[in-house]
Amino acid sequence: ALVGKLLREGNRRLKLDFQRLLEGETIQSPIDEQIVYGQLRDNESGVWSLLLATGYLKVLSTERQEALTEARKPIYEMAITNFETLLMFSMMVQDWFGPAEADYNDFIKAMLEGDTEVMNAYMSEVTLRMFSYFDTGRGPSRDASERFYHGFVLGLMVELKGEYSITSNRESGFGRYDVMLEPKDKGKDAILMEFKVHNEKKEKDLEDTVRAALRQIEEKRYEAELISRGFAPERIRKYGFAFRGKEVLIGE
C-alpha cells in the first residue's frame, strides 16, 4: 500500500523510472540506507531504497567512482527482482483503474479483433479518470507525455505475454516503432502501435493526429520486421493512438 501510494503521488521522473522498470529496463539511483518514513514522499532515492530493502528491486551493478553525486554516493543499477514481482506491480497498476477494470478483457479482445469503437470507449473512460491522477507535472514536453501514454498502453498488454512477443521501441524498417505484438501462433494477426500527442501547430484535431501516427507507421515501414518473419501485410493490424490531455482517440 505504501509503495502504491508513493508511486501514484510521485513526480513525473519517478513515474517514468517506474515505467522503465515495468518495461524490463533498469534504473540508476543512489541508495539511502537510512530511510526516514516522513521524507519518502519527497525523496526519489528513498522510494527505490525502500523497494530494494523489501526485495522488490535487485542490484545489477554499482559505480564507485569518486564524486558521482554531490554526496559522493555510489550509483546502483537496479531492476525488478523477478517475473513474479513484475506481475505483482502490473496487477497493482491495473487495480488503479478501479471500476474500468471490469472492461479490461473487452478492450484486449477488441484490440485483437480490430473493434476500435470498443477500444475508444474503454480508453476514454480510463484516461478521463486516470491521466490527471498521474500526469501532475506542469508544462510537460511532448516527448515526456508520449512516454507517459506509451507506458500506460504498454501496461495493458502484460497479460498477453503468454501468447504474444511484446516489444517496444525497437528498430524496424526506417525507424523505431512504439509497440509491436507478434503472436506466437502464426495464424493470428500481428499488431503495431504508434502513439502521438496532439500538436496544435500542425494538426487541427485528434483525427489529424491519428492519421499522422498511422502515416508514420507506413512511411517508416515498421511492418518490415514482421514481414521478414512470414506475416502477410494483411495480417498486420496497425493502430494510431492520439492523445490530448485526458482525451484519446484510436484509429486503425
Side-chain angles (χ1 to χ4, degrees), residues 154-214:
L154 190 62
L156 297 176
M157 308 292 108
V158 171
E159 289 190 9
L160 292 175
K161 281 192 172 181
E163 302 176 52
Y164 290 79
S165 173
I166 304 172
T167 52
S168 174
N169 287 320
R170 301 283 181 84
E171 291 185 3
S172 181
F174 301 114
R176 300 174 70 89
Y177 57 79
D178 279 339
V179 175
M180 176 189 291
L181 278 70
E182 180 182 352
K184 297 178 181 178
D185 178 355
K186 297 296 184 181
K188 296 181 179 179
D189 289 347
I191 295 174
L192 284 168
M193 299 180 185
E194 185 66 25
F195 308 104
K196 287 282 186 188
V197 172
H198 176 70
N199 187 336
E200 61 183 15
K201 294 181 179 180
K202 297 181 179 180
E203 298 145 3
K204 180 177 65 175
D205 49 30
L206 286 181
E207 286 80 2
D208 277 353
T209 310
V210 168
R211 285 191 285 270
L214 294 172

Side-chain angles (χ1 to χ4, degrees), residues 109-129:
K109 181 179 179 181
M111 181 190 68
L112 298 178
E113 295 178 353
D115 189 341
T116 54
E117 182 177 353
V118 172
M119 293 173 68
N120 275 292
Y122 174 85
M123 287 294 291
S124 294
E125 178 185 354
V126 173
T127 56
L128 181 63
R129 202 155 32 80

Side-chain angles (χ1 to χ4, degrees), residues 17-140:
D17 280 344
F18 184 56
Q19 172 193 322
R20 282 190 278 272
L21 290 171
L22 288 178
E23 292 177 358
E25 299 179 18
T26 63
I27 63 169
Q28 293 185 330
S29 174
I31 291 300
D32 185 358
E33 296 181 354
Q34 306 298 323
I35 302 173
V36 178
Y37 179 85
Q39 298 176 351
L40 278 173
R41 183 170 181 175
D42 301 316
N43 184 349
E44 289 180 39
S45 64
V47 175
W48 307 130
S49 301
L50 175 64
L51 290 176
L52 180 62
T54 50
Y56 294 131
L57 293 181
K58 61 183 177 182
V59 172
L60 300 181
S61 64
T62 308
E63 292 185 43
R64 298 183 179 278
Q65 302 172 17
E66 291 187 4
L68 276 172
T69 67
E70 291 182 3
R72 301 174 68 88
K73 292 181 179 179
I75 299 295
Y76 295 85
E77 181 183 18
M78 294 172 285
I80 289 179
T81 306
N82 50 35
F83 176 76
E84 288 73 22
T85 305
L86 174 62
L87 186 60
M88 181 199 73
F89 279 130
S90 299
M91 295 299 292
M92 180 180 73
V93 172
Q94 289 181 30
D95 287 342
W96 293 341
F97 297 158
E101 184 180 4
D103 298 326
Y104 168 72
N105 289 332
D106 289 339
F107 171 80
I108 294 298
K109 181 179 179 181
M111 181 190 68
L112 298 178
E113 295 178 353
D115 189 341
T116 54
E117 182 177 353
V118 172
M119 293 173 68
N120 275 292
Y122 174 85
M123 287 294 291
S124 294
E125 178 185 354
V126 173
T127 56
L128 181 63
R129 202 155 32 80
M130 294 299 296
F131 277 13
S132 61
Y133 193 42
F134 282 93
D135 198 21
T136 55
R138 295 183 178 179

